[in-house]
Amino acid sequence: MLTVYEVADLAGVSIATVSRVIHGSRLVHPDTRDRVLAIIEEVGFVPDASAQGLSRRRKDVVGLVALDRGGDEIDIETTSPLFHDELVHSVEAVLRGTDLSLLLTLGRAGEGFQRRIWSLSGKVDGLLLTEEIMPADRLLALARRIPVVVIAGQRREAGLDVVAVDNRSGVRALASHLIKEHDYRRICFVAGPEDSPDAGERLAEFRRAAAGRMLDPVLTGDFSEASGSAAARVLLRQHPRPDVVACANDQMAIGVLRQFQQARVNVPVTGFDDIYAARLVRPGLTTVRQPLRSLGRAAARRLLARIDDRALPALTQVLPTTLVLRASCGCPDTEGPDPRGTEPVI
Amino acid sequence: MLTVYEVADLAGVSIATVSRVIHGSRLVHPDTRDRVLAIIEEVGFVPDASAQGLSRRRKDVVGLVALDRGGDEIDIETTSPLFHDELVHSVEAVLRGTDLSLLLTLGRAGEGFQRRIWSLSGKVDGLLLTEEIMPADRLLALARRIPVVVIAGQRREAGLDVVAVDNRSGVRALASHLIKEHDYRRICFVAGPEDSPDAGERLAEFRRAAAGRMLDPVLTGDFSEASGSAAARVLLRQHPRPDVVACANDQMAIGVLRQFQQARVNVPVTGFDDIYAARLVRPGLTTVRQPLRSLGRAAARRLLARIDDRALPALTQVLPTTLVLRASCGCPDTEGPDPRGTEPVI
DNA sequence: TTGTATGCGTTATCAC
DNA sequence: GTGATAACGCATACAA
């Protein structure tokens, strides 16, 4: 592997000069600069990031950690959180303008995953974590070691940078729509996994907003499409059927929808998140949109800011959710211009 | 930031011992081991990856580089290659078992992107690249510097590890189906971008297989859903309409499908790739399945192998594609058990 | 079983 | 403008 030393030798200069050239320092004669540059180009020299990181005390890498829920590995598409893919893209888009890189880590929740993240913190300058990954105290401990921004649904972690989404108002808007517009009385809720704060909050708020129209007990899935299908199969055996099935996320809703369609029964369904696929299914999925792009962007930007200045005061940003009415809730199929793409750029 | 030195001091041992403990060396007394471990735990020490990388000459990071085609950043969902998300997941799944991390880099094709990748090669132990990112000679140059595995559609790069997909046989199967089963005579092909080898190959092979039934000129998109919609709008102004529209990838096919549906016209459509969304749309998209999970897995595994032994002979692995018949081509809507999930684990 | 000392490839602080 | 040289934090060969 080539080093600055060989480059320096070949160019007949010292390594200091090579380093200066690499960083475009102006304290170097144009002639030497060109000579060194030519050599670098010729031999294809690339500075070693480990050495740079060690010397500059900065790795130019940030980590994005997300949960990979449910399902066995054979069945990635139906279970992996498509949700997070949009986050990945928006975070990457922010990083693209800088010279930082994105280290992506996924995993199933648990002690092992938490350890893995802890040791991963040695590889990066900062970490973007989704809330459910570890309890608040571990999160705080981690944040003392390294810049951390938490991507969350609502909950406010004391002393931490948090970018959250206003789950509750979205849930309320949805419940209100189902009740006031459609007057559904027997509402079935398919909840997410119990260890997800998001899931818990959505359930709690929905129960509150549904004003006694929510059927008990609620069904529980793991946010995967498969678990939605499973819930639907349970419902298919029930009589009378609920007037509508509200799911804690889109993937489960899609699972429910498809299972019902396969059984040729027609029950309204709603989701939560507004992932890409939500507008693809027929009927289009009525759901609550999380501003995922803005979420990722805001989180990434905040992380960069904190890496630049670790003394920044903790900040919580709450982004609004919006009710997106498509046809799956029983509304007429408008198929108008899709609200997607109109999300304001924050 | 804590270092081995402080840990060593606190534990009353030398840094060598600390290092040994960290790596679970057996040449250390159980008592000292426990003592050191306790200190590490207590102070929350995490070794610096830069220093480790410098010393061990190994960064434990591999890069995955993919193209981000078309569209402005405001419109990520409709344009980003969902295609690649599945690759990301499968690669990550392989890495999960090791202590390597995944560095994800996306970008629009071009000289700037190529330079970015070149300098990125200083941050990783190996690189997974999709074929269209750079010309063969630059790829070879890069591969001389660092382990590289190319993820491609068919083309065989001399002297390089390649994991490819057998585009051609899939295209032939599709064309044959459209002709023999449906007897479509006026077949419109929506091609991918010209700088994509995959796209070129699919077009060429389709033309060959369509035996004169393919309409000229072909429409060209950029693999995004939006470009599919655009193509559909062109077709809507044409009379007579084609009997079927075959698209070079699923996202464009979905764009075509939805645009047609919006205009209430009924023209069969087919895609290519079999992304997650292909089975979500109604009617289900007839397409050619790329074994993306296997592709990602095979590529990742090969990269690990090559990192371990750079002297390995170059290897090309070609994975088969399969025709997936759903309803969008005009076949009856079976809605049976989905073929997904039956992909053999390689 | 443990400690000492050197090297890893850069950057940055000095002198010149 | 340029060149020595000292960190940077860890792994490891060699001593003890």
Side-chain angles (χ1 to χ4, degrees):
Chain A
M1 201 87 314
L2 285 158
T3 72
V4 277
Y5 289 97
E6 0 263 13
V7 175
D9 274 358
L10 290 169
V13 296
S14 77
I15 62 166
T17 299
V18 174
S19 181
R20 289 190 189 102
V21 169
I22 291 174
H23 295 88
S25 163
R26 320 186 314 94
L27 312 87
V28 46
H29 194 92
D31 290 355
T32 28
R33 196 185 68 89
D34 290 349
R35 191 151 34 97
V36 173
L37 241 28
I39 300 287
I40 289 180
E41 181 75 12
E42 180 186 333
V43 301
F45 167 74
V46 177
D48 182 274
S50 290
Q52 287 185 311
L54 185 54
S55 182
R56 310 196 334 177
R57 307 148 137 274
R58 158 154 196 155
K59 305 175 179 64
D60 279 347
V61 175
V62 302
L64 171 56
V65 183
L67 228 49
D68 206 13
R69 283 193 183 282
D72 44 12
E73 61 173 316
I74 201 76
D75 204 15
I76 288 182
E77 288 87 347
T78 50
T79 59
S80 77
L82 298 181
F83 175 92
H84 290 142
D85 288 338
E86 307 200 12
L87 230 41
V88 172
H89 282 284
S90 58
V91 169
E92 208 279 341
V94 171
L95 264 32
R96 207 178 289 185
T98 72
D99 38 29
L100 281 82
S101 303
L102 179 63
L103 202 52
L104 181 66
T105 304
L106 308 175
R108 313 232 180 282
E111 185 59 31
F113 191 43
Q114 293 180 28
R115 267 203 307 282
R116 193 153 134 248
I117 293 166
W118 185 259
S119 75
L120 187 141
S121 71
K123 285 183 170 179
V124 300
D125 296 320
L127 236 28
L128 248 32
L129 301 180
T130 49
E131 179 184 30
E132 335 82 287
I133 289 173
M134 48 175 79
D137 54 328
R138 316 248 323 183
L139 224 39
L140 277 166
L142 189 59
R144 266 195 296 278
R145 239 190 68 69
I146 193 181
V148 165
V149 172
V150 180
I151 299 176
Q154 194 83 330
R155 201 172 73 186
R156 198 190 173 93
E157 313 278 352
L160 238 51
D161 284 326
V162 177
V163 182
V165 149
D166 185 8
N167 270 318
R168 291 193 195 158
S169 68
V171 171
R172 278 196 301 269
L174 174 65
S176 160
H177 174 79
L178 297 180
I179 293 175
K180 301 234 174 79
E181 303 299 323
H182 295 285
D183 195 25
Y184 293 136
R185 285 145 199 254
R186 311 186 67 253
I187 305 180
C188 169
F189 193 82
V190 180
E194 315 199 342
D195 60 338
S196 159
D198 266 326
E201 193 164 61
R202 290 174 194 176
L203 170 58
E205 189 66 17
F206 195 90
R207 171 168 282 134
R208 212 167 300 147
R213 299 185 180 208
M214 198 179 96
L215 300 177
D216 264 312
V218 302
L219 299 174
T220 299
D222 63 4
F223 277 161
S224 73
E225 187 184 328
S227 72
S229 301
R233 284 192 292 274
V234 171
L235 292 174
L236 285 171
R237 289 195 296 272
Q238 263 176 219
H239 295 279
R241 302 239 169 75
D243 296 335
V244 61
V245 181
C247 302
N249 81 339
D250 284 347
Q251 278 180 283
M252 292 196 298
I254 291 173
V256 171
L257 200 67
R258 291 168 62 80
Q259 189 71 57
F260 279 168
Q261 282 175 350
Q262 203 165 330
R264 305 277 186 263
V265 320
N266 190 10
V267 176
V269 176
T270 68
F272 203 106
D273 285 344
D274 197 25
I275 61 176
Y276 173 68
R279 61 191 201 103
L280 253 32
V281 291
R282 292 288 118 194
L285 193 65
T286 284
T287 186
V288 175
R289 183 185 319 150
Q290 302 223 41
L292 291 182
R293 292 202 301 275
S294 305
L295 200 63
R297 244 189 334 253
R301 289 193 184 141
R302 182 63 188 175
L303 184 58
L304 299 194
R306 174 157 301 283
I307 288 173
D308 271 358
D309 176 9
R310 302 195 46 164
L312 246 40
L315 172 68
T316 294
Q317 306 175 60
V318 178
L319 276 46
T321 54
T322 2
L323 180 61
V324 178
L325 297 177
R326 299 202 180 89
S328 74
C329 61
C331 279
D333 197 338
T334 57
E335 187 58 314
D338 200 279
R340 278 264 173 190
T342 61
E343 176 185 322
V345 178
I346 296 186
Chain B
M1 200 87 311
L2 285 159
T3 73
V4 276
Y5 290 97
E6 0 262 14
V7 174
D9 274 359
L10 289 170
V13 298
S14 76
I15 63 164
T17 299
V18 174
S19 180
R20 288 189 190 104
V21 170
I22 291 174
H23 295 89
S25 164
R26 318 185 318 95
L27 313 86
V28 45
H29 194 92
D31 291 353
T32 29
R33 194 184 69 89
D34 290 347
R35 191 151 33 97
V36 173
L37 242 28
I39 299 287
I40 289 180
E41 180 75 13
E42 180 186 333
V43 300
F45 167 75
V46 178
D48 181 274
S50 291
Q52 285 186 311
L54 185 54
S55 182
R56 309 195 330 172
R57 306 151 135 276
R58 158 155 194 156
K59 304 175 178 63
D60 280 347
V61 175
V62 303
L64 171 56
V65 182
L67 229 47
D68 206 13
R69 283 193 183 283
D72 42 12
E73 61 172 316
I74 202 75
D75 204 18
I76 289 182
E77 288 86 351
T78 50
T79 59
S80 77
L82 298 182
F83 174 92
H84 290 141
D85 288 339
E86 306 202 12
L87 230 41
V88 172
H89 283 284
S90 58
V91 169
E92 207 279 340
V94 171
L95 263 33
R96 207 176 288 185
T98 71
D99 39 28
L100 283 89
S101 303
L102 179 62
L103 200 53
L104 180 66
T105 305
L106 308 174
R108 313 229 181 283
E111 184 60 31
F113 191 44
Q114 291 180 30
R115 267 202 308 282
R116 192 154 134 248
I117 293 166
W118 185 260
S119 74
L120 187 142
S121 71
K123 285 183 171 180
V124 300
D125 296 320
L127 236 28
L128 250 29
L129 301 179
T130 50
E131 181 183 28
E132 334 84 287
I133 288 172
M134 47 176 77
D137 54 329
R138 315 249 324 186
L139 226 38
L140 278 165
L142 189 58
R144 266 194 299 277
R145 239 190 68 68
I146 193 180
V148 166
V149 172
V150 180
I151 298 176
Q154 194 81 332
R155 201 172 73 187
R156 201 191 170 90
E157 314 277 352
L160 237 51
D161 285 326
V162 178
V163 181
V165 148
D166 186 8
N167 270 318
R168 290 194 194 157
S169 68
V171 171
R172 279 197 301 271
L174 174 64
S176 161
H177 175 78
L178 297 180
I179 292 174
K180 301 235 175 76
E181 303 299 322
H182 295 286
D183 196 26
Y184 294 135
R185 286 149 199 250
R186 311 185 65 253
I187 305 180
C188 169
F189 193 81
V190 179
E194 313 197 343
D195 60 338
S196 158
D198 267 324
E201 190 164 66
R202 289 173 195 178
L203 169 59
E205 189 66 18
F206 195 90
R207 171 169 278 133
R208 212 168 297 146
R213 299 184 180 208
M214 197 178 95
L215 300 177
D216 264 314
V218 300
L219 298 175
T220 299
D222 63 3
F223 277 160
S224 74
E225 186 185 327
S227 71
S229 300
R233 284 192 292 274
V234 170
L235 292 173
L236 285 172
R237 289 195 296 272
Q238 262 175 218
H239 295 278
R241 303 237 169 74
D243 296 335
V244 61
V245 181
C247 302
N249 81 339
D250 284 345
Q251 279 180 284
M252 293 197 297
I254 290 173
V256 171
L257 201 66
R258 291 168 62 79
Q259 189 72 57
F260 279 169
Q261 282 175 350
Q262 203 163 331
R264 306 275 187 264
V265 321
N266 190 8
V267 177
V269 175
T270 68
F272 203 105
D273 285 343
D274 198 25
I275 61 176
Y276 172 67
R279 62 191 199 103
L280 252 32
V281 291
R282 293 287 117 192
L285 193 65
T286 285
T287 186
V288 175
R289 180 183 324 147
Q290 301 222 43
L292 291 183
R293 291 203 300 276
S294 305
L295 200 62
R297 243 187 336 250
R301 288 194 182 142
R302 183 61 186 176
L303 184 58
L304 299 193
R306 174 156 301 280
I307 289 174
D308 271 357
D309 177 8
R310 303 196 43 162
L312 247 39
L315 172 68
T316 294
Q317 306 175 60
V318 178
L319 276 44
T321 54
T322 2
L323 179 61
V324 179
L325 297 177
R326 298 201 180 91
S328 74
C329 61
C331 278
D333 196 340
T334 55
E335 187 57 315
D338 200 278
R340 279 265 169 183
T342 61
E343 177 185 320
V345 178
I346 294 185

